[in-house]
Amino acid sequence: MPVKSSTGALRAPRTSRARSRAALALAVGALAAGAAAGAGPAAAQPAAAPARPQAAPAPAADCSAAYRIERKLASGTTWRMCWHYESKAGLVLEDISYQPPGETRPIKVLTSAKLAQIHVPYDDGNVEYDDLTGYDFGKGLMDLAPGECPGGTIKTVRVPDAWDPQDADVKGLCTTTRARGHAYRMQGDSAAKVYQAQGKDLLVYTVNQVGWYEYITEWRFQDDGTITTNVGATGSLSPVDYDAGDGRGWPLGKGAEAYATSHSHNVFWRLNFALDGSSKTKIEQYDSKVSPPARGQEAPTNKTTRTRITKELAGDAKNMRWWRVVSGTGKNKDGHPRSYELVPGATTKYPGRSYTKHDVYFTQYAKCEQYASNNPGNCGAGHGRSVDKWVDGQTLTHPVVWMNIGFHHVARDEDQQPMPVHWQGFSLAPRDVTAMNPLTPKELADQNGRPRDGS
């Protein structure tokens, strides 16, 4: 059964890898069936001194103030969204919109965005875990200290079906801003003027504990329209798993007696797009092929081909391949369809399970399809329980995007103690969402398209 941590919250016991997971599973089974969705804040708790509040325009998201996140960054870009909290997925963001300077109304981007699984198989083949659906990831929400949310606000979240109903309110959701360095720099061929800007992000994050691991789930909303999400694994290596003396681990501590068992973290996200407020988005795949120089040419040639993805697809990343999600209804001021490009981060694809063999999935929307593996949704008899089984030839009229980013964790001496964060994630990069760089300075606002004569 779960035990109390030093903070008073109920956590899984840390006796052994197998026993702690089994005990946690029994505790889950003793609770009422089904995960409550839609739980939210009990109160908002200030962290360190928050930034001076700014006047906010009417929210685009349809939710009460307690469930709303809205931030106008220094550049003038405003991000708006709603949130709720689930016992399996943890933080769920909804009705996400982006309004850069020069746009008179918010641009809807996503209906919902959330984690869809953390699959953890160990190299020795003895165990594998589905941390969201098998061990109720969301119930492990941890309290955040004020210093973890500098300049921001820590919201108190009511955790559905908490291990201890008397301890269901957790100060666990941070919203703040972070500097990210140069947004752009341009000097050109003259030293008379340097155009540069320092970028700012809205950062939204939680920390969830599963066994010995603590997962930081963060969403970064940049002032140029980019959305980046990462999961960072930290906490501790399981101290009872120093038994991989068969070449499936790494020696830690003095000598070569204790070998920490290697394992993988395969993280999935589920993205339900609604560009310009419509779910009727389109998927396009681009592939480039480089050929040797033809006779009389100085350099190789590169031809890029677009493929419209009209039916469900299990996609594999390749060199010079990329995908974008295209609005079916909206265009920017230049008349180009708005879209977001999928930009995967570093990944190690795990071939051991059918659902981890592909990098991205595009499936037709089905309400019951919520988790990439061990999906608990009541989809009916014969309906598969993992995302690969849902790619069955349906026409994409309302595509859902599933991203899979893997990490093979071969431990090292530096992993103890505590373990440094190792990150895995991806970005959504705006492609033609606005007619120009949304942070373009006024002096350059007329430089759109073909350069002017004499410039």
Side-chain angles (χ1 to χ4, degrees), residues 20 81 92 141 164 179 184 259 261 341:
S20 65
M81 65 202 71
V92 181
L141 183 66
D164 179 1
Y184 62 78
Y259 284 75
T261 307
E341 180 180 342

Side-chain angles (χ1 to χ4, degrees), residues 193-215:
K193 177 73 173 180
V194 175
Y195 295 96
Q196 72 85 29
Q198 298 297 302
K200 287 281 190 179
D201 302 344
L202 165 63
L203 173 63
V204 180
Y205 87 93
T206 60
V207 179
N208 293 73
Q209 186 181 54
V210 181
W212 290 89
Y213 271 93
E214 296 175 20
Y215 294 107

Side-chain angles (χ1 to χ4, degrees), residues 34-309:
Q45 300 292 330
R52 187 169 58 187
Q54 299 172 328
D62 182 16
C63 58
S64 66
Y67 295 88
R68 186 183 310 140
I69 298 171
E70 184 172 324
R71 185 65 59 93
K72 186 172 185 179
L73 300 169
S75 63
T77 292
T78 299
W79 284 97
R80 301 180 179 93
M81 65 202 71
C82 296
W83 67 276
H84 73 264
Y85 196 85
E86 297 179 0
S87 61
K88 295 187 185 298
L91 178 66
V92 181
L93 299 179
E94 299 178 307
D95 295 327
I96 300 170
S97 69
Y98 156 62
Q99 187 174 5
E103 294 291 336
T104 58
R105 61 181 63 184
I107 300 167
K108 182 76 172 288
V109 180
L110 290 155
T111 294
S112 65
K114 68 173 186 177
L115 279 178
Q117 194 56 272
I118 300 177
H119 170 247
V120 187
Y122 274 69
D123 285 18
D124 58 13
N126 288 330
V127 289
E128 64 178 337
Y129 309 119
D130 289 318
D131 279 347
L132 268 66
T133 54
Y135 301 98
D136 283 357
F137 172 89
K139 294 183 184 179
L141 183 66
M142 305 191 76
D143 286 298
L144 299 175
E148 297 183 82
C149 192
T153 299
I154 298 176
K155 294 178 179 289
T156 298
V157 179
R158 179 151 293 166
V159 178
D161 294 334
W163 299 124
D164 179 1
Q166 303 301 315
D167 196 20
D169 294 337
V170 182
K171 299 174 184 176
L173 174 59
C174 171
T175 60
T176 188
T177 57
R178 291 276 177 88
R180 70 170 186 278
H182 274 88
Y184 62 78
R185 187 188 190 280
M186 188 184 80
Q187 182 171 331
D189 58 2
S190 171
K193 177 73 173 180
V194 175
Y195 295 96
Q196 72 85 29
Q198 298 297 302
K200 287 281 190 179
D201 302 344
L202 165 63
L203 173 63
V204 180
Y205 87 93
T206 60
V207 179
N208 293 73
Q209 186 181 54
V210 181
W212 290 89
Y213 271 93
E214 296 175 20
Y215 294 107
I216 304 171
T217 305
E218 71 167 31
W219 297 84
R220 289 178 180 263
F221 301 91
Q222 297 183 190
D223 51 10
D224 63 1
T226 302
I227 301 173
T228 298
T229 182
N230 287 289
V231 167
T234 183
S236 303
L237 291 170
S238 174
V240 298
D241 288 316
Y242 290 83
D243 54 1
D246 57 357
R248 294 183 175 88
W250 197 268
L252 298 184
K254 295 185 181 300
E257 295 181 1
Y259 284 75
T261 307
S262 302
H263 52 279
S264 294
H265 296 260
N266 304 309
V267 182
F268 290 83
W269 290 259
R270 181 182 184 274
L271 305 170
N272 185 4
F273 277 86
L275 284 170
D276 295 297
S278 173
S279 63
K280 295 182 179 180
T281 53
K282 303 172 185 178
I283 307 297
E284 295 179 349
Q285 176 178 304
Y286 290 79
D287 291 277
S288 296
K289 181 179 180 180
V290 177
S291 300
R295 180 173 295 180
Q297 290 182 319
E298 293 185 4
T301 58
N302 188 352
K303 180 176 177 58
T304 300
T305 303
R306 177 181 63 180
T307 302
R308 291 184 173 92
I309 307 301

